[in-house]
Amino acid sequence: MINSSYFSCCSSCQVRVILCLSNSLSVLNQVHVCTELFLSFHVFIVLACETSEILTFTAHEGGKVEIRCPYEPKYEEHKKYLCRGECPIVIKDKPVESESAAKNERFSLTDNKTAHIFTVTITDLRTEDQGQYWCGVNTGLFNHDYKREIYLEIKHVSRVSGVTGEHLNITCHYENKLKNDVKFICKSSSTSLCEKSATKVSSEINSNGRFSLRDNESAEVFTVTITDLTEEDSGIYWCGAIQRGHGHKNKWISVTDLKVSAVTSERMSPKPTTTTASADTASDRTIISSSPSTSVLMFFSSTANAVSPKPQPGFGPIIMVVVIGILTGLGFSLFIYLRWSQKEKGTEPKDVVHGPTNNLPGGDTGETKEVSFIMCLSEFSLD
């Protein structure tokens, strides 16, 4: 007796069985033919049930995806798993399986036995995660596992930045086959949330508040403009198209990660620079002398220090030597001028010091010892 449950996946198989039973051959031939047909149909039906419509999930690098796998109520207590690749009968690559520790910590499985759906979550997605998967249910030792084919698509993320108050453009390049489809952009970390209520603007509604969309069909690119950016605009944006010829399913084109930062005072005005002047300790040196001409030198030195700016570190000693040299030259010139003017008048200069004329060391008498201004300058230089 043929179990009708084998043909629950394919209605055309039931028609072929009826034709087989109504065959005008002999009973033995009829049974033989039907047995062969049954075996071939059984293999065909299993393949058909496994290769039915492929479920596609799209996510982005670094994000996560939740793969939802529904199953029949009779498999409520059976083991569920996610299989990667071709998933052969003998050796299966199972990253995660219920009632067992996951082989990869990025994979996890939860089973909602009330809704009869188990969900596989993959985090920290990478480009190598893209490919073929199977939602599987272990139906028993001698039974074929129930499986549903899955295709996981991983999108590369383009990163852009903006500043609050300014505007920004997001460009989305699409395939020629999407030329006549409705284009849109939505903001969400996952495509499932985008499909529900996160659409910002579309080619049917070209403007929505601060968002606008322009579709250049000849260049096969549409551009979304966001004006008056705010920090709340930061996030993941998906460019997509609604495929008219595929049951209005969304085709995800590209992903953009937008980061909006606030305008800081440093961007508004140039940062003020602070110059720290270092004191020259040499200029603060005190010079003590009983000579009147030394007071003149100290006056010139104080005047030079008051007028000239503080020297930079490393140049203090050089500047001090130069200043002393200049002042020495001026003092010497002044001394020569005074001597010359006194000789012209035939009188002695006021700078001459007379010592006692008697009892001088060495027996000298009556001779005048002159202490010139140059000696003061020499002593000053030595100090």
Side-chain angles (χ1 to χ4, degrees), residues 328 373-383:
T328 302
F373 186 72
I374 192 65
M375 294 178 63
C376 295
L377 293 177
S378 299
E379 290 178 359
F380 177 77
S381 300
L382 290 175
D383 290 337

Side-chain angles (χ1 to χ4, degrees), residues 131-157:
Q132 182 187 37
Y133 292 84
W134 297 83
C135 291
V137 178
N138 192 343
T139 58
L141 182 61
F142 299 103
N143 294 326
H144 196 85
D145 287 357
Y146 174 82
K147 294 188 295 184
R148 183 69 183 268
E149 187 175 4
I150 303 294
Y151 184 78
L152 177 59
E153 182 182 23
I154 306 298
K155 290 289 187 181
H156 172 71
V157 179

Side-chain angles (χ1 to χ4, degrees), residues 280-287 293-310 319-328 330 380:
D280 182 11
T281 56
S283 62
D284 297 332
R285 186 180 302 166
T286 304
I287 301 173
S293 58
T294 305
S295 302
V296 176
L297 291 176
M298 294 179 64
F299 170 77
F300 278 100
S301 177
S302 301
T303 305
N305 289 334
V307 175
S308 60
K310 293 288 183 180
I319 296 176
M320 182 181 67
V321 173
V322 172
V323 171
I324 291 176
I326 293 173
L327 293 177
T328 302
L330 290 174
F380 177 77

